[in-house]
Amino acid sequence: MEWRQMFSTWKKVFTNWKYLAMTIIIALVFYSINVLVSSWSSLISFYSTLGFFQTIKFFLILFFGFKETIMFHSFVSLVVISILFGMLFSLVGYKISIGRGSGGKKIGLFGGMGLFLATFASGCAACGVGLASIFGIGAGALSFLPYDGFELSIASIGILGFTILSITKNMYVCKIKNLNIERRY
């Protein structure tokens, strides 16, 4: 499939308001979860002191000011991964809605690996972004990697990008084996 056809498919999918809204909502939820994970202890102590509504207000401040609390490259990779995450779910939803299935086991495997890496270390585990920090894998464990875990973000961007390209390439292809059905009258 040519790039022109891929862009045409993306245009068809993302000009539909439902899939564009799904992309934006999933990207914002993924980004919010990363803000929540990295600020969990602050939010808990804020809640116990000032209550629910002030905690929501504090969360929104953290949400919009998150780029100031982590390294710039981690913030950029988090935003890119969030958008790719939303795009992937929207493309899969679109493909399922047109009745073409999920696109095969290879895409599922790569998509699963990309989604795992994206949630595990979406920015930089040393900064406390992603599931790696919840599991206690932070700066100490990732200091053995040459870029302190940022390479996991790059890998997840690559895998998610490859998966999106593969799903787009196979958008209108159905991989069901031909069945020989005899008609009996």
Side-chain angles (χ1 to χ4, degrees):
M1 176 180 257
E2 291 181 21
W3 283 102
R4 200 176 317 172
Q5 289 175 322
M6 293 180 107
F7 286 121
S8 173
T9 301
W10 290 340
K11 182 179 177 184
K12 185 173 185 173
V13 172
F14 296 114
T15 54
N16 184 332
W17 69 270
K18 291 186 285 188
Y19 297 106
L20 181 61
M22 181 189 299
T23 300
I24 292 169
I25 289 169
I26 290 173
L28 287 173
V29 166
F30 184 78
Y31 179 83
S32 297
I33 289 170
N34 280 280
V35 172
L36 183 69
V37 165
S38 69
S39 307
W40 183 254
S41 61
S42 298
L43 288 167
I44 294 293
S45 63
F46 209 85
Y47 175 75
S48 64
T49 306
L50 296 173
F52 180 74
F53 292 110
Q54 292 298 322
T55 304
I56 296 296
K57 185 177 176 182
F58 181 57
F59 176 77
L60 290 174
I61 292 168
L62 290 172
F63 181 87
F64 290 110
F66 196 56
K67 67 179 177 244
E68 305 300 327
T69 62
I70 62 175
M71 290 187 281
F72 180 73
H73 64 81
S74 296
F75 178 73
V76 170
S77 68
L78 175 61
V79 170
V80 170
I81 289 171
S82 297
I83 292 168
L84 291 175
F85 200 74
M87 284 179 67
L88 179 63
F89 274 94
S90 295
L91 287 169
V92 168
Y94 180 79
K95 188 165 183 163
I96 289 171
S97 75
I98 62 172
R100 302 282 190 223
S102 65
K105 292 180 182 177
K106 290 180 184 175
I107 292 172
L109 176 66
F110 279 117
M113 284 178 18
L115 294 176
F116 172 75
L117 281 175
T119 55
F120 187 71
S122 53
C124 140
C127 301
V129 180
L131 290 179
S133 62
I134 289 178
F135 295 129
I137 304 170
L142 295 176
S143 64
F144 295 108
L145 296 173
Y147 299 105
D148 298 325
F150 182 64
E151 51 273 288
L152 296 176
S153 297
I154 299 301
S156 72
I157 289 171
I159 292 170
L160 286 171
F162 174 78
T163 305
I164 287 170
L165 291 175
S166 297
I167 286 176
T168 304
K169 180 180 173 185
N170 297 317
M171 183 64 69
Y172 301 108
V173 175
C174 184
K175 294 190 177 195
I176 297 176
K177 294 180 182 178
N178 292 333
L179 299 175
N180 294 326
I181 300 174
E182 295 180 25
R183 290 188 180 188
R184 295 183 187 200
Y185 296 97

